[in-house]
Every structure is written in C-alpha cells, then in structure tokens.
C-alpha cells in the first residue's frame, strides 16, 4: 500500500455547507466555520490511529477510536475501522485547508 498524503494527518471538521452531491467536505480544526448546532469530525494520526467524531444525543460530539490505513496502491482509498463499524473513504482532494471525500461505490 502507498502512504497517504501528509496533509491528511490531523483533525478535520465537517463543513456541510460546502458539500456537493456525493462529496463530503471537511476543514481543519480551528477553521472559521459558521455557527452550527454540532459538527461531525475525523482525526487521522500518523501512527494509524483514527478517531471518528459523530454527533451524539443533543448534537453533542461523540468519540470512537480505531485504526485507519490506505486501501489501495495510490493512497487515495482509506480503510477505517472503529468498534462496530468498518468503512472506506475515497480521498478526492486534500491540502492543508480542505479535505474532500466520498464513500466509494
């Protein structure tokens, strides 16, 4: 497997205002987003630790920690594993200001 882009490492917050059909957009933690009741997030650590930050009851952020790894030779597909849920994401674009992903078909 290939190494993912270095820009992927870090904490990302869902910028749902910027989503388009089939594309989910995240911004780095601390990015100035409009106020919202709650925002989901993703965190990728260089050691392969993955933290999913779903919204819980009353829009409070949750936290599920697992692992992530590349799932293809180009490093564009990511395999995410947290207790009770395994999934893949395809990285469409990433730099230090935006992460665009979709769930592969």
């Amino acid at each position: 497997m290939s190494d993912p882009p270095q820009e992927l490492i870090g904490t990302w917050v869902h910028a749902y205002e910027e989503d388009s059909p089939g594309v989910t957009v995240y911004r780095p933690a601390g990015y100035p987003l409009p106020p919202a009741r709650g925002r989901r997030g993703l965190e990728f650590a260089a050691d392969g630790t993955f933290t999913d930050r779903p919204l819980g009851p009353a829009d409070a952020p949750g936290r599920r920690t697992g692992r992530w790894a590349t799932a293809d030779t180009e490093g564009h597909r990511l395999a995410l594993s947290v207790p009770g849920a395994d999934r893949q994401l395809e990285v469409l674009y990433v730099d230090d200001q935006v992460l665009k992903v979709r769930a592969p078909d």
Side-chain angles (χ1 to χ4, degrees):
M1 296 298 148
S2 175
D3 291 333
Q6 274 305 116
E7 296 87 359
L8 181 68
I9 305 303
T11 302
W12 298 93
V13 179
H14 186 197
Y16 59 84
E17 305 88 347
E18 298 179 45
D19 287 353
S20 60
V23 178
T24 305
V25 178
Y26 292 86
R27 294 291 185 164
Y31 187 88
L33 293 168
R37 288 183 57 188
R39 293 189 184 268
R40 296 180 291 129
L42 307 171
E43 184 176 335
F44 299 93
D47 69 358
T49 302
F50 170 70
T51 304
D52 187 21
R53 298 174 185 266
L55 290 179
D59 296 330
R63 183 182 181 99
R64 297 184 305 178
T65 302
R67 305 287 301 164
W68 72 276
T70 56
D72 67 0
T73 56
E74 293 83 30
H76 297 292
R77 286 186 187 250
L78 306 177
L80 311 177
S81 178
V82 295
D86 290 342
R87 64 183 180 174
Q88 286 195 3
L89 287 179
E90 181 180 0
V91 176
L92 301 173
Y93 181 82
V94 63
D95 66 20
D96 63 343
Q97 292 300 306
V98 66
L99 168 62
K100 295 182 180 183
V101 299
R102 74 172 160 216
D105 298 331

